[in-house]
Amino acid sequence: MTASPISNPSASVPYIKIDAVSKSYDGGRNVAVSNVSLDVHQGSLVALVGGSGSGKTTLLKTINRLVDPDVGEVRIDGVPVSEAEPPMLRRSIGYVFQGIGLFPHMRVADNIAVTLRLRGWQAKAIEARVAEMLDMVDLPQDYAGRFPHMLSGGQRQRIGVARAIAARPRIVLMDEPLGALDPVTRDSLGSSYRELHDRFGMTTLMVTHDIQEAALMADRIVVMKNGRILADDTPHALMMGSGSDDPDVTALMEVPRRQAERIAALATRNGPVRA
Ligand SMILES: Nc1ncnc2c1ncn2[C@@H]1O[C@H](COP(=O)(O)OP(=O)(O)OP(=O)(O)O)[C@@H](O)[C@H]1O
């Protein structure tokens, strides 16, 4: 029998364990991830941040086996993902990426219901869950009958999030999930997502370029550079400078701290505020 690493999650910690993982491309010339170890505890939301090409997406994909490491191992609830059939593993892990490929010939409702159908849900239950998901991502119910080409980029992105979490997976991997959204929707969907994440006890790894979003949404921020982890701590510790001495991390964490100060100052002054 094929092992199913997330069929029986227990309270054992860490829930996801990335152990000394390395991955390179082009016959070893391009090192994407270099000897990375990371523990993710059940119920936590961890943000992966770092410059372009720092290895965030590659690392994320080792969890649902879109990428298999050259060296090292990923375990979910103690079971190596290498023992799972990739299609079964992916069906049990929510995955959202920017520009997510909705099925163009399928209406929104059917796109959201893909995993539910694969799991054999009854029509009534599917209909109810689709309606709940549309509410969650703040789209009117009559969008259920639309095709993806009838939606804006941001609306498609919201359907991508709805599809990924419709079956309430225990693990959700998000790669720039809120990237195509306007700031108001981005903020609102980010908060709704965090609420659902907590309500349903999901465990989320989220790649984002927005450090402010990471600080506001995540329990922990992992900063990557050149395939390695530079820092891994709570937003508070990193913003207070106690999480890392690395100058890149300090510069990165200065951004939300200074923005928060400038916005707080705006509330008490007239006119532009400079940091
Ligand atoms: N399929 C691939 N084939 C060859 N090289 C790849 C492949 N995927 C990623 N890379 C390379 O691996 C490195 C890490 O890429 P990765 O996408 O993991 O970084 P990232 O931090 O997610 O970047 P970004 O923020 O720009 O999305 C980069 O140098 C990239 O060019």
Side-chain angles (χ1 to χ4, degrees):
M1 199 177 91
T2 305
S4 176
I6 63 174
S7 60
N8 182 29
S10 69
S12 72
V13 286
Y15 188 36
I16 303 172
K17 190 164 186 65
I18 296 175
D19 195 6
V21 159
S22 296
K23 174 71 188 177
S24 54
Y25 297 101
D26 305 328
R29 281 191 300 277
N30 187 351
V31 179
V33 172
S34 178
N35 195 26
V36 164
S37 294
L38 181 66
D39 288 352
V40 179
H41 296 261
Q42 193 159 19
S44 64
L45 196 157
V46 174
L48 289 175
V49 303
S52 190
S54 56
K56 306 178 295 294
T57 297
T58 302
L59 188 66
L60 198 72
K61 287 179 171 175
T62 62
I63 297 168
N64 64 357
R65 294 198 61 191
L66 283 170
V67 165
D68 282 327
D70 301 329
V71 184
E73 190 173 64
V74 177
R75 288 192 288 278
I76 296 177
D77 209 29
V79 181
V81 293
S82 56
E83 291 178 11
E85 287 290 342
M88 293 304 289
L89 183 73
R90 284 177 212 141
R91 202 180 289 178
S92 59
I93 296 178
Y95 183 49
V96 193
F97 53 96
Q98 196 171 354
I100 188 158
L102 297 178
F103 298 106
H105 58 287
M106 281 165 63
R107 293 178 194 277
V108 161
D110 296 323
N111 264 291
I112 294 176
V114 165
T115 311
L116 308 179
R117 289 224 162 79
L118 286 170
R119 290 185 177 193
W121 282 39
Q122 300 297 309
K124 271 259 171 284
I126 290 180
E127 203 182 313
R129 181 58 60 85
V130 166
E132 185 190 335
M133 287 296 109
L134 283 171
D135 267 353
M136 193 282 287
V137 296
D138 242 346
L139 286 174
Q141 291 296 326
D142 61 3
Y143 275 48
R146 293 195 179 197
F147 287 97
H149 74 268
M150 299 156 82
L151 305 177
S152 71
Q155 289 167 344
R156 281 199 286 272
Q157 196 64 14
R158 283 189 256 176
I159 299 302
V161 173
R163 179 171 73 178
I165 66 172
R168 292 189 191 148
R170 293 183 184 278
I171 295 175
V172 181
L173 308 177
M174 299 180 129
D175 199 343
E176 280 287 310
L178 310 176
L181 303 175
D182 67 84
V184 173
T185 309
R186 189 170 180 141
D187 185 53
S188 126
L189 186 55
S191 312
S192 312
Y193 180 77
R194 178 71 224 209
E195 201 185 300
L196 285 176
H197 165 99
D198 293 346
R199 180 147 37 110
F200 300 132
M202 298 190 284
T203 302
T204 303
L205 264 95
M206 177 180 80
V207 170
T208 177
H209 282 111
D210 186 333
I211 187 64
Q212 196 173 352
E213 184 170 273
L216 291 174
M217 277 181 75
D219 301 303
R220 258 168 67 205
I221 298 179
V222 172
V223 185
M224 290 189 71
K225 185 180 177 184
N226 296 336
R228 293 177 184 274
I229 292 180
L230 283 186
D232 173 2
D233 216 320
T234 62
H236 178 79
L238 290 173
M239 279 175 74
M240 293 301 130
S242 58
S244 169
D245 292 334
D246 187 283
D248 286 339
V249 177
T250 308
L252 185 70
M253 297 313 300
E254 274 283 290
V255 175
R257 202 177 54 71
R258 280 176 37 202
Q259 282 175 343
E261 282 170 10
R262 286 156 70 186
I263 288 167
L266 264 180
T268 54
R269 285 192 228 166
N270 290 321
V273 180
R274 312 244 173 263

